[in-house]
Amino acid sequence: MATPMEAWVEEAARLTKPDQVVFCDGSEAENQNILQTMLNQGDSYQLNQKTYPNCYLHRSNPSDVARTEHLTFISTPQKDDVGPTNNWMDPEGAKFKVGKLLDGAMRGRIMYVVPYIMGPAGSPISKVGVEVTDSPYVVASMRIMSRMGKVATDQLGNSSDFVPGLHSIGDLDPLRRYIVHFPQERLIWSVGSGYGGNALLGKKCFALRIASYMARQQGWMAEHMLILGLESPGGRVTYMAAAFPSACGKTNLAMMVSSLQDMGYKVWTIGDDISWMKIGPDGYLRAINPEAGFFGVAPGTSMKTNPNVMAALHHNTIFTNTGMTPEFEPWWEGIGTEPPPGLITWRGEKWDPSKGVAAQPNSRYTVPAKQSPSIDPRWEAPEGVPISAFIFGGRRARLAPLVYESFNWQHGVFVGATMASETTAAATGDVGITRRDPMAMLPFCGYNMADYFQHWLEMGKKIPHPPKIFHVNWFRKGADGKFLWPGYGENVRVLKWILERVEGRGSAQETPIGYVPTRNGLTLEGLKIAPEALDELFRVDADNWATDLADSKEFFAKFGDRLPAEIRKEHEAVGKRFQQSVPA
Ligand code: SAT
Ligand code: MN
């Protein structure tokens, strides 16, 4: 008798009508086959096998280079269940409309069946998914990003407990592109895109949208968070999970080389994007990284910004839409070298300055996580690592101080819910447009975000040893429009303060928005920074906060009565604290 997985694959094949169905086992021989198929399709290149062994460059269709949020839907019977921040389709309508696009979509193609585990094999927090796809690039990428093949089939056995994902690149026409989630069925349908988060269904579709829905039902958390360990003198490692909107250096923080290494502070990486967390038997929130690789933005990645990932990228890596040198090496803006003569752009043309950038701004590397020198020895621990601190962040030129600590869990949830980031506004030093992005989950929450805030509030009551909640801002600017904080490896100084606060040490002063470090709170040894810059970094400006509170109030109003009363209360409380605080 067919297993539930086989039965579903048969159903998917009946709809999409491939010439052939291939079940993937994840072996190296199979991988070589898939890579060869990629090369034969003409959109991929083998890179320099001396300097980049087993590395490939893939070029996606120029109209298909990023996630497409306006074509991403959550499909539930009630529109209100997805809330004002998600696109909605009713399930019957979605099945009909997208079903028509999938009908026969794999004619003349191979359907690959990719069983995969999100999370370490055997972990009680891990989950199995099965993606069928007609893209060999997706298969090769899923092999890096998840535990794929036999290991997953073995874990699944005859169980029906898996998340099915049906993916076809279709004809790549953006007018016929849909990424649809059916959270009640735990089903994903994606057609018309071969790119990243649209096509590697284990990542944003399963590990965030479907998983966040399951997590609420089952009392755990699926978050858009990196996980890092901060080692302190004596060798103890304290784990923190952090959420940032895009373009805030999340991967770089997860893989940071600490500037306080000599003092005994070192950063270890568990994950750079997603965290699944369950309350452990010890009462701590236990986190795993559901992924097995990093799918990171290439431009701007260099020995200065992320030496760990640079060290990892020289073997077994798939590059997507980067430039390529005549030596068949990948190249991108900000890699740290000048554009070499004979450079080829991501579109396959000879580069010259009139062509603009050589690497597509959202070009990527896909690399096994274990290749990073910073990977934590416990990164695959089945029980997960205990999380002591949550860190929220954003890009705020004038508003948020370098770091502050929330007063308690409920206030911390409010801090996460009011997260926002300013779009990077060119050289003028202008403050950009503020885009609200609660917990960095705006495009990734599989249900109504008002209910998501409620879930956070409830988790706080259930966790015996909840993480403390912090907010950081590496991007505060002075009156001259220049960044006040050096960032990168120096950010460890902020992590050190967070660690000290977790341990009940670390000196802080109370402000209306939370606790900020006192003048001597941050370790500044070996760092050249003007006292005025520090003052500005920690200044809490009542007028700026009043403006931001008005903005977040408007955002929260979208949720109507569904918004938890606690969030409204916290919002009012900040305003009151500003009124009561005596100006210095
Ligand atoms: O393309 S992904 O969704 O995987 C990465 C991103 O856009 O955040
Ligand atoms: Mn992400």
Side-chain angles (χ1 to χ4, degrees):
M1 224 187 78
T3 63
M5 174 174 92
E6 288 162 351
W8 179 73
V9 169
E10 211 169 287
E11 190 189 316
R14 226 174 303 137
L15 176 61
T16 57
K17 305 177 179 60
D19 280 9
Q20 200 188 334
V21 178
V22 172
F23 280 79
C24 296
D25 61 14
S27 66
E28 184 50 39
E30 173 187 271
N31 186 41
Q32 289 307 321
N33 234 317
I34 298 278
L35 291 165
Q36 192 55 51
T37 309
M38 263 170 72
L39 295 176
N40 295 346
Q41 290 189 346
D43 53 8
S44 302
Y45 300 83
Q46 192 170 47
L47 292 173
N48 189 319
Q49 293 300 293
K50 281 211 187 75
T51 51
Y52 284 86
N54 203 26
C55 288
Y56 294 81
L57 169 67
H58 173 79
R59 293 193 189 128
S60 71
N61 187 294
S63 72
D64 184 30
V65 295
R67 274 184 299 107
T68 38
E69 286 172 20
H70 63 293
L71 304 173
T72 302
F73 294 83
I74 309 288
S75 194
T76 53
Q78 299 297 320
K79 185 173 194 303
D80 215 28
D81 286 338
V82 312
T85 59
N86 278 310
N87 301 314
W88 177 78
M89 269 199 225
D90 82 277
E92 226 171 280
K95 287 271 168 78
F96 180 75
K97 189 167 176 173
V98 184
K100 270 206 297 204
L101 299 175
L102 284 167
D103 189 353
M106 296 194 191
R107 243 184 223 117
R109 299 179 189 170
I110 298 174
M111 173 196 270
Y112 298 96
V113 181
V114 183
Y116 62 95
I117 310 173
M118 295 310 284
S123 163
I125 312 177
S126 293
K127 300 206 172 295
V128 175
V130 178
E131 173 166 0
V132 299
T133 177
D134 51 11
S135 160
Y137 165 75
V138 166
V139 179
S141 301
M142 286 296 286
R143 189 168 185 271
I144 297 174
M145 295 304 294
S146 69
R147 284 84 175 172
M148 180 272 249
K150 185 172 182 307
V151 65
T153 320
D154 287 351
Q155 180 151 328
L156 182 62
N158 285 328
S159 165
S160 59
D161 190 10
F162 66 94
V163 169
L166 171 47
H167 170 251
S168 170
I169 56 174
D171 62 6
L172 292 176
D173 186 331
L175 294 175
R176 285 185 287 278
R177 180 176 300 161
Y178 288 94
I179 298 93
V180 190
H181 307 71
F182 303 90
Q184 291 173 322
E185 286 177 73
R186 298 180 188 169
L187 169 70
I188 306 155
W189 273 10
S190 168
V191 62
S193 168
Y195 190 82
N198 290 340
L200 310 177
L201 301 186
K203 196 174 176 58
K204 309 293 192 187
C205 299
F206 178 4
L208 288 176
R209 297 196 191 95
I210 298 289
S212 63
Y213 185 95
M214 295 168 72
R216 172 168 170 249
Q217 285 181 328
Q218 300 168 353
W220 53 283
M221 302 174 89
E223 298 298 329
H224 191 201
M225 288 180 166
L226 66 85
I227 310 166
L228 62 79
L230 178 61
E231 180 178 331
S232 45
R236 233 173 65 90
V237 181
T238 302
Y239 292 96
M240 310 178 179
F244 294 86
S246 56
C248 287
K250 196 169 150 193
T251 299
N252 295 346
L253 180 67
M255 305 176 85
M256 170 176 54
V257 175
S258 153
S259 71
L260 299 179
Q261 204 108 255
D262 291 350
M263 283 175 66
Y265 291 89
K266 185 180 156 54
V267 172
W268 295 98
T269 311
I270 298 273
D272 80 325
D273 198 33
I274 298 172
S275 176
W276 281 1
M277 295 169 281
K278 277 192 179 155
I279 302 170
D282 58 359
Y284 284 88
L285 205 50
R286 291 273 171 172
I288 60 161
N289 171 10
E291 301 187 281
F294 305 126
F295 182 66
V297 176
T301 305
S302 70
M303 286 308 286
K304 177 175 174 271
T305 61
N306 195 335
N308 278 319
V309 92
M310 289 299 280
L313 289 181
H314 282 264
H315 53 292
N316 310 326
T317 301
I318 299 174
F319 297 88
T320 305
N321 294 337
T322 64
M324 183 167 70
T325 73
E327 283 76 45
F328 286 81
E329 294 184 338
W331 190 92
W332 51 79
E333 281 70 23
I335 196 172
T337 58
E338 290 303 307
L343 179 62
I344 310 284
T345 71
W346 67 280
R347 290 169 178 268
E349 299 166 333
K350 263 203 137 137
W351 182 82
D352 67 64
S354 75
K355 294 259 167 19
V357 291
Q360 209 284 334
N362 191 35
S363 57
R364 300 272 171 158
Y365 52 77
T366 309
V367 61
K370 61 171 184 250
Q371 289 182 194
S372 174
S374 67
I375 199 77
D376 189 290
R378 289 169 74 186
W379 84 285
E380 295 190 286
E383 71 280 13
V385 295
I387 299 297
S388 300
F390 279 145
I391 304 171
F392 295 123
R395 192 179 267 276
R396 308 306 305 260
R398 301 276 185 261
L399 187 76
L402 178 63
V403 57
Y404 63 100
E405 178 190 342
S406 63
F407 295 118
N408 51 49
W409 180 273
Q410 181 172 306
H411 176 234
V413 174
F414 169 79
V415 169
T418 48
M419 257 176 73
S421 216
E422 287 147 14
T423 51
T424 43
T428 57
D430 278 3
V431 176
I433 309 296
T434 304
R435 184 176 186 258
R436 306 228 74 97
D437 189 358
M439 284 83 167
M441 282 290 278
L442 196 75
F444 306 118
C445 187
Y447 58 101
N448 192 319
M449 277 205 118
D451 301 344
Y452 170 79
F453 299 146
Q454 188 65 49
H455 178 51
W456 264 82
L457 292 165
E458 272 156 29
M459 284 303 293
K461 293 176 204 149
K462 287 190 199 145
I463 309 167
H465 304 291
K468 286 197 168 196
I469 302 179
F470 299 81
H471 187 282
V472 301
N473 175 24
W474 317 131
F475 304 98
R476 184 97 172 219
K477 287 179 175 177
D480 59 1
K482 293 208 176 106
F483 289 119
L484 293 164
W485 180 250
Y488 301 110
E490 304 298 354
N491 290 338
V492 74
R493 298 171 190 274
V494 173
L495 299 184
K496 177 174 179 287
W497 183 77
I498 289 174
L499 167 66
E500 288 162 0
R501 293 299 292 171
V502 163
E503 293 182 339
R505 308 178 284 124
S507 81
Q509 79 192 51
E510 192 175 331
T511 77
I513 60 162
Y515 301 109
V516 302
T518 58
R519 208 48 199 283
N520 307 316
L522 272 197
T523 302
L524 295 171
E525 280 158 74
L527 182 70
K528 270 201 216 105
I529 186 161
E532 305 79 59
L534 274 180
D535 288 343
E536 183 58 23
L537 270 170
F538 288 113
R539 196 164 62 89
V540 176
D541 182 283
D543 289 342
N544 288 347
W545 279 92
T547 308
D548 197 66
L549 282 170
D551 190 69
S552 56
K553 188 173 184 174
E554 207 174 295
F555 176 75
F556 286 139
K558 289 192 206 173
F559 297 95
D561 290 347
R562 210 145 164 162
L563 186 78
E566 290 89 336
I567 298 292
R568 211 168 278 126
K569 247 187 251 160
E570 289 294 335
H571 193 281
E572 283 161 18
V574 194
K576 280 209 192 94
R577 285 193 297 267
F578 270 111
Q579 280 163 17
Q580 284 157 8
S581 73
V582 189

